[in-house]
Amino acid sequence: MPSRPKKPAAKAKAPRRSKAPMLPSERIAYSPITERPPLKLPNNARMAVWVVVNVEEWDPTQPMPRTVLTPPAGGSPMPDIPNWAWHEYGNRVGFWRFVELFDEFAIPGVIAINGSALAGYPQIVEAAVARNWEFMGHGFTQRNMQKVPDERADIRKVRETILKATGKPPRGWLGPGLTETCQTPDLLVEAGYDYVADWVLDDQPVWLKTRTKPILNLPYTQECNDVAMMLIQHHKASEYSERALDQFEQIYADSAGSARIMALSMHPYIMGVPHRVKYLRRIFEAIRSKPDVLFWTGAQIADWYREAGPKAP
């Protein structure tokens, strides 16, 4: 009896491979600001300014994220009392100078806060909530996001902690030191954030591609950032107001035909110290004198752009 022909062996299914993380250049296409349709702000305003206060909690059992003093014999002592106390002064004293100034000039604050700081500094949270300041995620602890063991869990934990403490989930994210991994924008969208501010590359909001839906990036600042000026470039205190007002003057001129966004970034332990805070006042006085400039939160900027700007690709 003739043997039956053997059926061809079924091909083994190839293992499903996850899509490779996108490079920065794959998330956003080049777009000259001069070739875009004009953007219009409400009430004939020319530009909007958002002011971001970074509130951090430094873990005294770890090396400090930044230092103002080095130990006499070098090394990284733990606990690092002088440098931990330097940052702690900002939360105990400097932040409250900010509150007084923001109240005086009716500025809506945006607070980029470590998730751990919400429990560590409850009075800061209460003061910001009472004034309807916006809360942004800023990592659960103050560390490079590339050194976080589980970035997805960190991002979600920050969101849950802010929601529990304030009653509202954060919409925006600012990485500690603007640090990201190759998948940060993807994880932010999947966790429920709808804007990020790490990509300092434009004076208007821009859309970033992710593996699901796009996320909006708001203009932030490295140049008008007190960390850069005071701690890295070692300028005198007045540089903060001089540079901010020079930047404001140029962006205001640029905004004649199409709206622009400007950010100011500050930390309570830097601009909130006694010899610097008066320069922050000078900035607020000058900008508040312009009737066609808005002080907005990140959420307000994002909502406006979603209506007035190009739709997400």
Side-chain angles (χ1 to χ4, degrees):
M1 187 174 183
S3 59
R4 293 181 181 178
K6 292 182 179 179
K7 293 182 180 180
K11 291 183 179 179
K13 290 184 178 180
R16 181 179 291 180
R17 295 180 181 178
S18 59
K19 195 173 181 180
M22 282 184 268
L23 295 172
S25 56
E26 296 174 311
R27 292 195 184 274
I28 182 169
Y30 173 66
S31 169
I33 199 168
T34 54
E35 296 181 7
R36 302 173 200 166
L39 283 172
K40 299 297 181 184
L41 285 160
N43 302 320
N44 296 316
R46 291 175 59 146
M47 62 182 287
V49 177
W50 67 312
V51 187
V52 182
V53 176
N54 293 261
V55 173
E56 303 162 359
E57 182 183 43
W58 292 4
D59 183 350
T61 69
Q62 300 294 322
M64 293 294 96
R66 300 185 180 97
T67 58
V68 66
L69 288 178
T70 55
S76 299
M78 286 185 284
D80 186 345
I81 296 301
N83 290 305
W84 181 87
W86 172 50
H87 122 279
E88 185 72 0
Y89 177 91
N91 293 336
R92 295 169 70 93
V93 182
F95 178 83
W96 304 102
R97 294 191 178 113
F98 288 170
V99 168
E100 184 177 343
L101 274 178
F102 281 53
D103 284 353
E104 180 181 348
F105 290 95
I107 291 172
V110 179
I111 184 168
I113 189 167
N114 293 155
S116 61
L118 289 140
Y121 304 104
Q123 291 91 337
I124 287 179
V125 175
E126 291 168 9
V129 169
R131 288 163 174 79
N132 202 29
W133 286 16
E134 181 184 359
F135 283 73
M136 296 174 67
H138 191 50
F140 195 79
T141 58
Q142 187 63 19
R143 69 168 80 177
N144 184 336
M145 290 302 294
Q146 296 175 13
K147 295 183 178 180
V148 172
D150 187 335
E151 185 183 17
R152 182 191 302 274
D154 190 276
I155 286 171
R156 291 185 180 277
K157 189 176 181 181
V158 173
R159 188 175 189 273
E160 292 163 2
T161 305
I162 291 176
L163 172 59
K164 183 177 179 180
T166 70
K168 296 179 182 178
R171 294 178 54 187
W173 176 270
L174 182 74
L178 308 183
T179 56
E180 288 193 3
T181 70
C182 286
Q183 61 177 353
T184 302
D186 308 312
L187 297 177
L188 291 173
V189 167
E190 291 162 17
Y193 296 83
D194 64 19
Y195 79 83
V196 63
D198 295 338
W199 297 52
V200 186
L201 44 63
D202 213 297
D203 287 338
Q204 293 177 341
V206 294
W207 290 105
L208 301 179
K209 294 178 183 177
T210 78
R211 60 194 175 200
T212 53
K213 61 182 181 180
I215 189 170
L216 193 62
N217 181 77
L218 299 193
Y220 189 60
T221 180
Q222 297 183 55
E223 297 286 353
C224 283
N225 187 316
D226 54 4
V227 169
M229 277 186 265
M230 304 299 135
L231 305 189
I232 298 173
Q233 299 165 356
H234 303 293
H235 286 291
K236 62 182 182 178
S238 60
E239 173 71 11
Y240 192 83
S241 61
E242 291 171 10
R243 186 182 299 189
L245 291 175
D246 285 345
Q247 180 159 319
F248 173 76
E249 180 182 325
Q250 181 61 53
I251 294 177
Y252 184 82
D254 294 342
S255 68
S258 185
R260 299 290 196 273
I261 307 298
M262 175 175 159
L264 290 170
S265 171
M266 63 199 66
H267 299 70
Y269 64 95
I270 305 176
M271 284 311 297
V273 300
H275 67 284
R276 294 195 184 109
V277 73
K278 71 178 182 181
Y279 297 105
L280 184 57
R281 172 182 289 276
R282 291 181 185 178
I283 298 168
F284 290 169
E285 287 175 339
I287 297 178
R288 264 294 180 218
S289 70
K290 297 282 191 180
D292 52 359
V293 176
L294 305 171
F295 276 101
W296 269 0
T297 65
Q300 287 176 298
I301 295 169
D303 287 341
W304 158 75
Y305 189 77
R306 288 174 184 277
E307 291 295 323
K311 301 308 174 187

